[in-house]
């Protein structure tokens, strides 16, 4: 049942984002940044952790989960290092995901020969 719930939650998030992309004039980059910010805000007010526990990977894998990861890292670093943690915590917490995105994006560009859209 966990797999079905994760699939449905992730699918609903994708459907909502697709509708938002179709009905507004926002570029995909702005929408993605909005999702990260929304995940950060939901984590900061305490709504995201129970949602993540209930939805599993369906909530943890999309960009909402990345925003929540950034928030958790900043919160822990501020508790440990003070104000400096605002600048270091998010990157420390999300370093593996950021590095993976860079490495696999680079490898994909070598394999598929990307072109600029016209």
């Amino acid at each position: 049942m966990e797999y079905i719930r994760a699939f449905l939650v992730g699918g609903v998030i994708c459907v909502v984002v697709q509708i938002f992309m179709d009905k507004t004039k926002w570029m995909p980059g702005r929408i993605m940044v909005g999702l990260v910010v929304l995940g950060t805000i939901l984590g900061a007010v305490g709504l995201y952790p129970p949602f993540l526990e209930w939805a599993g990977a369906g909530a943890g894998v999309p960009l909402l989960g990345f925003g929540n990861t950034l928030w958790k890292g900043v919160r822990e670093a501020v508790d440990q290092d003070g104000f400096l943690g605002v600048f270091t915590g998010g990157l420390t917490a999300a370093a593996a995901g950021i590095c993976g995105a860079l490495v696999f994006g680079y490898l994909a560009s070598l394999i598929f020969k990307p072109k600029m859209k016209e």
Side-chain angles (χ1 to χ4, degrees):
M1 190 63 183
E2 289 180 43
Y3 296 124
I4 294 170
R5 185 175 24 216
F7 177 78
L8 291 175
V9 169
V12 167
I13 291 171
C14 291
V15 165
V16 169
V17 169
Q18 186 64 49
I19 290 170
F20 196 77
M21 289 175 70
D22 291 343
K23 298 297 182 185
T24 68
K25 293 184 179 185
W26 282 25
M27 298 298 291
R30 286 188 180 195
I31 294 170
M32 290 190 303
V33 168
L35 287 169
V36 172
V37 170
L38 181 61
T40 304
I41 291 170
L42 290 174
V45 297
L47 295 176
Y48 202 80
F51 176 60
L52 181 61
E53 187 176 326
W54 177 78
V61 174
L63 288 171
L64 291 169
F66 181 70
N68 185 53
T69 300
L70 292 174
W71 162 250
K72 287 190 311 189
V74 167
R75 185 186 63 216
E76 291 171 7
V78 166
D79 290 343
Q80 184 178 12
D81 301 329
F83 184 71
L84 185 60
V86 171
F87 303 105
T88 61
L91 292 175
T92 302
I98 294 169
C99 183
L102 291 172
V103 168
F104 291 118
Y106 178 71
L107 291 174
S109 73
L110 292 176
I111 295 169
F112 296 107
K113 298 180 183 142
K115 300 179 228 168
M116 295 296 291
K117 288 187 175 182
E118 295 179 22

